[in-house]
Amino acid sequence: QSALTQPASVSGSPGQSITISCTGTSSDIIGYDYVSWYQQHPGKVPKLIIYDVSHRPSGVSNRFSGSKSGNTASLTISGLQAEDEADYYCSSYTTSRSWVFGGGTKLTVL
Amino acid sequence: EEQLVQSGAEVKKPGESLKISCKVSGYTFTTYWVAWVRQTPGKVLEWMGIIYPGDSDTRYSPSFQGQVTISADKSINTAYLQWSSLKASDTAIYYCVRPTTTSMATFGYWGQGTLITVSS
């Protein structure tokens, strides 16, 4: 199972919106609405911020939103804040009854 | 409060064996699967495998099949990940994870991670 494809880095200024893409195949993203996104600050444990493509866990800011089109899922962060600077990972359930992660995207808030 | 508490960091030599643990609390252990996720020094996340504590049904990623063993002890609410012969390339942080109550296909709860360093 190949890793999902994410851009290595994205950046934005405070207040702006950014979008991180996550591209998979017919074996994962296309086949299921089980895409999740995780935020990881340096030295910390990954934190779930989006599940099942577009659902936010309780306590996660509504500045975070998720979507999917075809074999690509996207995470959008609106009203960028300094605290959003972190690594972001996507994940999808697959037809092999397994999970696959993206390579991660480093978000820099300028 | 649901918690997954992992065993502490380990420093091992190549060829040595190791078993790390993930003790859960705050929920019924047999209700949810527990999976293991590896984070390499390059920060890549990899799903290793999963166990259903209720019946010990276990599945592995092809990348880890035969390389590790996942097990669980229902009597003490603990899942395990073990190696019989470590390699330097096993150096990483290992997380146990559990789904949320609203989606069985997502990693909603994470242990604090166990850092394994394999070096001669």
Side-chain angles (χ1 to χ4, degrees), chain A residues 42-77:
Chain A
K44 301 296 187 183
V45 176
K47 173 190 172 185
L48 175 68
I49 56 172
I50 295 288
Y51 68 94
D52 294 358
V53 176
S54 60
H55 293 81
R56 273 188 313 276
S58 173
V60 172
S61 172
N62 59 9
R63 297 186 299 104
F64 294 91
S65 62
S67 63
K68 185 184 90 166
S69 178
N71 68 339
T72 299
S74 299
L75 172 71
T76 298
I77 308 174

Side-chain angles (χ1 to χ4, degrees), chain B residues 4-6 21-22 34-37 94-98 109-111:
Chain B
L4 291 77
V5 179
Q6 299 184 225
S21 65
C22 171
V34 172
W36 289 91
V37 172
Y94 294 84
Y95 295 101
C96 59
V97 296
R98 198 214 89 173
Y109 295 89
W110 295 64

Side-chain angles (χ1 to χ4, degrees), chain A residues 70-107:
Chain A
N71 68 339
T72 299
S74 299
L75 172 71
T76 298
I77 308 174
S78 58
L80 211 55
Q81 299 179 1
E83 69 209 47
D84 299 331
E85 186 161 293
D87 293 326
Y88 292 84
Y89 296 87
C90 61
S91 174
S92 176
Y93 188 64
T94 82
T95 54
S96 302
R97 299 171 66 218
S98 62
W99 280 262
V100 63
F101 284 97
T105 298
K106 180 176 177 59
L107 169 61

Side-chain angles (χ1 to χ4, degrees), chain B residues 2-62:
Chain B
E2 296 92 336
Q3 282 193 307
L4 291 77
V5 179
Q6 299 184 225
S7 48
E10 302 268 5
V11 179
K12 307 293 281 187
K13 291 183 173 13
E16 291 187 330
S17 63
L18 176 64
K19 190 173 187 177
I20 63 174
S21 65
C22 171
K23 184 171 178 61
V24 313
S25 61
Y27 72 96
T28 302
F29 184 45
T30 53
T31 301
Y32 300 99
W33 49 255
V34 172
W36 289 91
V37 172
R38 180 171 83 173
Q39 186 162 38
T40 67
K43 299 197 291 183
V44 171
L45 291 173
E46 299 168 292
W47 180 81
M48 302 177 68
I50 190 171
I51 187 164
Y52 295 80
D55 59 7
S56 291
D57 182 32
T58 309
R59 278 201 319 276
Y60 297 91
S61 161

